[in-house]
Structure formats: C-alpha cells, structure tokens
Amino acid sequence: GENRGCRQTQLTTEWVNKVTGMGWKLLPIDLGLQAPCRDNVSKAAIKPNQARTQGTTEAEHAVSAAQKLGLRPGSAIYEDMESYHLGDEACARAVGQYLSGWSNGLHRHGFLAGMYGNLNSAIADAAGRYASTDYTRIDAIWVGHWDGTTTMSGWRGVPDSRWAGHQRAKQYSG
C-alpha cells in the first residue's frame, strides 16, 4: 500500500504457491492511506474530500498486487487502518468513506474487503458504522487486541452479532 515500509522481496508468486501448497492460509494486508486524525503522523493521510476515490484507487492497487502473487477472487485483502482518535466526526466520516471505496473496489474484482485495526479505534469505529446505509460495510475484521487470549467474542464496543460468520481474526500478542 501507499504507506508500505519495506519492499518484501521474498513475497513472490513462487512463495505464495509453496506455502499455500503446504496448506497454509494467507492474510494479505495493505498499508494504505491513514485517518486524517491518525496517531502516526509520518504516514500519508486520507484527504477527506477525496476519501472514497482514494479508497477505490488503493483497492485497485491491492487487487493488482494480489493477482500478481496468484491470489484469486474470493480471497480477502485487509486494509491496515492504524490507530486514530475517536470522537472526531469529520475524521471518522473520511475513514468510513475511504473504506467504502476500498470495499467497493475489491468487490468489483470479486475480492472480499477486510480491515485490520486496533480494537479501540478503527474496529470500534467500523462497528459503529456497521448498519449504516451511508457506507459500504467491510466483509471481515482483523483486530489488533493484545490481551493474550484467542477469544473472538466479547470485544468491548463490537457486538458479537457483527462480523459473526467466521469474519473475525485476531492478533492477540505482539
């Protein structure tokens, strides 16, 4: 993604084929633009008036990269939305619009739209938008919640009924 920190020269089609041939599953992640009210200001941010278009553009890049690695439609690609300040409505709206563009862009190519984020910011914010008709809902969440347990329910701010059909992943240690 736009904010990728390293080249990952060993991430190749051959490697993907080798590990998936061994039975491993992949969680491809894209570090695209970040919330305007983000904690890490060194990462490039979403422009609120262009958020949906920027999300769609990032999805196009992610699909192209995934296809080059041999990932097929039906696979999920996760947008990494790092920690940001909750309570800033304009910021939350920009993130929601960006993720709507991301979801629509991936869906157009047959991919599922996931999002990785901190339980107390990106995931809680997405849970608050879950039933909104103003945004396109992401298909799956991958939460960064380092509580040392593999529990996939009972998350503060995220009702268990949301992303309930095997649509949750968790990073429980870091």
Side-chain angles (χ1 to χ4, degrees), residues 1-2 9 11 13 15 17 20 30 32 46 50 59 62 84 92-93 95 98 101 104 118 121 124 134 138 152 156:
E2 169 97 10
T9 57
L11 180 56
T13 304
W15 181 84
N17 289 335
T20 56
D30 180 276
I46 299 164
Q50 299 173 22
Y84 58 92
R93 204 168 25 258
V95 171
Y98 180 83
N104 290 333
N118 181 290
S121 62
D134 295 334
I138 55 174
M152 300 298 266
R156 183 178 19 118

Side-chain angles (χ1 to χ4, degrees), residues 56-76:
T56 301
T57 299
E58 189 63 33
E60 294 292 328
H61 294 170
V63 165
S64 177
Q67 289 173 331
K68 286 177 186 169
L69 290 171
L71 300 177
R72 296 181 296 237
S75 301

